[in-house]
Amino acid sequence: MADGRIVRRGEGDSYGQSSPWLFKQGSLTGGRFDFLVGEIAYLSGPPLHVHRDQDDTFYVVEGILTVQVGEDVIDLAAGDFASVPLGVPHTFDNIYPDQPAVRVCNLMTPGGLDELFRDQALSLGKLPDHLREKHGVTVVGPSLGAKLGLTGASERGDA
């Protein structure tokens, strides 16, 4: 396909073993947006953060994904959709220990989040604050699990 991109099931770009995301399209592959699919394990979500340059959109395929947008905490079930404009604090997580990993599609507009994940992989899974800032992500609070006081929750995941 000369002017398009076909990515089959199980294919895409993954940046490091610790990342739950598989990029089907991203800025590193010439995309103007990032489209990724992920499986969010129990209490593995990122800290509360803002994107300087991107809108962050979620579509739940399977399971219950809990999202925080501003101060509101909401459960999204399969078929539910949430969109967070740039500059709005948000996070997400799988906070239910009895459910398997939550399957989610994520759309970032414009693209560029794949570069952050590439840099994270090159930093051996650790994402220093200066690299977050380089990619327009600022951490502004704890992970959702930590905020809710759930056992095993990390204070500092990766956005």
Side-chain angles (χ1 to χ4, degrees):
M1 220 173 157
D3 295 316
R5 180 171 165 87
I6 303 295
V7 183
R8 303 284 184 193
R9 178 190 304 240
E11 295 178 345
D13 299 307
S14 179
Y15 301 101
Q17 293 180 343
S18 64
S19 173
W21 299 106
L22 183 63
F23 283 78
K24 299 294 189 171
Q25 175 78 9
S27 66
L28 295 172
T29 54
R32 294 176 300 204
F33 60 89
D34 296 326
F35 184 84
L36 45 155
V37 294
E39 294 190 355
I40 311 303
Y42 178 65
L43 298 182
S44 65
L48 187 68
H49 61 280
V50 295
H51 295 277
R52 177 185 64 222
D53 304 315
Q54 297 170 307
D55 292 341
D56 198 349
T57 303
F58 302 91
Y59 178 81
V60 179
V61 176
E62 188 175 295
I64 298 172
L65 182 72
T66 304
V67 297
Q68 178 181 348
V69 180
E71 290 299 317
D72 297 326
V73 177
I74 305 136
D75 280 345
L76 300 177
D80 289 346
F81 171 93
S83 187
V84 182
L86 61 93
V88 174
H90 64 285
T91 187
F92 57 90
D93 212 337
N94 173 356
I95 66 168
Y96 297 102
D98 296 335
Q99 82 172 341
V102 179
R103 295 181 57 222
V104 179
C105 292
N106 185 219
L107 175 69
M108 301 293 294
T109 51
L113 191 69
D114 53 347
E115 296 176 24
L116 179 141
F117 279 91
R118 178 205 54 207
D119 285 355
Q120 178 180 347
L122 293 173
S123 298
L124 304 175
K126 304 285 186 195
L127 192 59
D129 287 338
H130 76 278
L131 283 180
R132 276 195 184 93
E133 290 295 326
K134 171 185 170 188
H135 296 292
V137 176
T138 303
V139 172
V140 295
S143 68
L144 194 51
K147 174 184 173 134
L148 298 175
L150 300 174
T151 304
S154 169
E155 284 294 326
R156 194 75 195 247
D158 289 310

